[in-house]
Amino acid sequence: MRHASFIARTVFVQKNDVEAACKVLNRILGREGILDQFRRTRYYEKPFQFRRRINYEKCKSIYNEDMDRKIQFVLRKNRTDPYPGCI
Amino acid sequence: MLQSRLVAALKSLSIGQGVCRISAQPLSTTAAKCRQVEDRREMLKSLPAIDEGTSGEKAVDIDSMIHHKDIFPNLDTPNMMFNGTPFKELPIFNIRVSSNNTVFSLTDYKGTPKIIRSCGIEGFKNARKGTNIAAQATAISVATRALEKGIKTIRVRVRGIGPGRMSAIKGLQMAGMDIVSITDSTPVAWDPPRPRKQRKL
């Protein structure tokens, strides 16, 4: 994966706060799945492990989708002002 | 599982002491035999995850997202001036992190190396090379060398994940370097050649 150096995956440090910049960078790398892929490709993933992982991820995403729908259903609002008293 | 086994072992110990003192001997022999592969796996599972220095990977920090707007580079970034030098000509601190070592190399913007130091060179040997303390100590000593050469404003490029990842950058800052940006250049491929076989635990 080649990108323009110092343009991609780059975060500026503001007010000398290195830790915050690192956190932002790490979070982006984690959410994009780059670190996961890095860890996964350190060692060969056998076909049975690949299958199991893919099946697990499928089940997990189906569960998450259903659960999100349920939560949205429970939290549904039918008022003109859905959160009275809140700004 | 492991806990229940421990509790059972303790109970048997107290009973053995209560009845007669000689029966303490078979306990130690059985305990050694009880150590199976399954238990070891469970023990490894129950241990806390190893800190790789990638803090903030999982946790979501909302504040940092709100306050900082211009933390990412744009088209004008290469020509932006930092301490009288355009961004594209700032010297680069390359940090290569692995689980076993941390290597620092300072290059100019063309990539010509100036200083190369690692935790191993710094005097940390064997397993100690791969610790965050070693990385921080090395970072401080490298940064003081860079400051002696008159280099203060730098860009940092990190490669790989390991315990030294965060502490290396922190160490550079502690020694007085002015870090402009942090770049990740971890080599990641989605269709790599076949990697080595997995380690046996």
Side-chain angles (χ1 to χ4, degrees):
Chain A
M1 204 169 64
R2 288 220 166 265
H3 290 295
S5 197
F6 294 106
I7 296 290
R9 294 200 246 166
T10 300
V11 169
F12 279 101
V13 178
Q14 295 199 322
K15 294 174 196 161
N16 234 354
D17 193 358
V18 171
E19 208 158 324
C22 278
K23 270 187 184 172
V24 170
L25 185 65
N26 289 339
R27 187 177 61 241
I28 291 169
L29 292 174
R31 296 194 90 182
E32 298 283 320
I34 291 171
L35 292 179
D36 286 340
Q37 178 67 12
F38 178 78
R39 290 191 194 110
R40 207 176 293 134
T41 51
R42 289 305 89 197
Y43 296 104
Y44 178 66
E45 193 179 29
K46 285 183 182 174
F48 88 93
Q49 289 165 328
F50 179 78
R51 240 175 351 215
R52 285 177 76 171
R53 177 169 62 80
I54 295 295
N55 285 341
Y56 175 74
E57 283 171 6
K58 269 185 195 167
C59 294
K60 201 176 168 190
S61 63
I62 290 169
Y63 177 85
N64 283 344
E65 199 187 331
D66 274 1
M67 191 50 78
D68 280 348
R69 205 175 290 141
K70 275 183 193 172
I71 290 169
Q72 286 308 318
F73 178 69
V74 171
L75 289 176
R76 78 198 186 283
K77 300 282 184 293
N78 190 17
R79 318 188 268 262
T80 47
D81 181 11
Y83 300 102
C86 300
I87 301 160
Chain B
M1 180 75 186
L2 190 71
Q3 275 185 338
S4 63
R5 267 175 188 277
L6 279 172
V7 169
L10 281 171
K11 268 182 189 168
S12 69
L13 185 74
S14 64
I15 290 163
Q17 279 173 343
V19 175
C20 60
R21 282 169 192 274
I22 311 155
S23 65
Q25 200 192 349
L27 180 81
S28 61
T29 53
T30 48
K33 277 175 190 169
C34 277
R35 216 184 336 160
Q36 290 166 354
V37 184
E38 282 177 7
D39 286 15
R40 187 176 151 73
R41 288 215 179 117
E42 270 180 28
M43 187 197 73
L44 286 171
K45 247 186 221 171
S46 66
L47 286 173
I50 303 156
D51 180 30
E52 289 167 327
T54 56
S55 73
E57 187 199 339
K58 297 277 159 61
V60 180
D61 195 9
I62 303 163
D63 294 350
S64 59
M65 286 292 275
I66 296 165
H67 295 307
H68 308 307
K69 288 275 160 78
D70 48 349
I71 55 168
F72 301 114
N74 50 31
L75 276 178
D76 307 326
T77 299
N79 297 319
M80 256 160 76
M81 298 299 269
F82 291 96
N83 245 347
T85 321
F87 180 73
K88 62 182 175 187
E89 289 180 10
L90 283 174
I92 307 165
F93 236 114
N94 293 288
I95 306 172
R96 202 179 76 214
V97 190
S98 70
S99 54
N100 292 328
N101 206 351
T102 311
V103 186
F104 297 78
S105 66
L106 177 67
T107 68
D108 64 358
Y109 70 98
K110 287 173 193 160
T112 324
K114 300 222 169 117
I115 307 169
I116 297 180
R117 299 286 285 179
S118 73
C119 292
I121 300 172
E122 203 63 27
F124 295 95
K125 290 294 172 196
N126 305 331
R128 280 179 206 158
K129 284 186 301 184
T131 56
N132 48 2
I133 298 156
Q136 192 161 331
T138 314
I140 289 169
S141 84
V142 173
T144 44
R145 276 158 192 265
L147 288 170
E148 277 169 20
K149 289 199 172 195
I151 296 164
K152 192 167 195 303
T153 316
I154 46 149
R155 317 178 253 183
V156 172
R157 182 153 62 178
V158 198
R159 163 178 285 232
I161 48 175
R165 189 176 155 107
M166 289 291 286
S167 47
I169 302 169
K170 251 186 244 168
L172 288 182
Q173 194 204 20
M174 276 163 65
M177 301 296 281
D178 186 10
I179 300 169
V180 169
S181 73
I182 301 167
T183 304
D184 176 81
S185 74
T186 310
V188 185
W190 261 260
D191 50 350
R194 183 170 169 150
R196 64 184 298 172
K197 74 173 177 185
Q198 276 186 344
R199 293 172 67 176
K200 286 206 180 103
L201 286 174

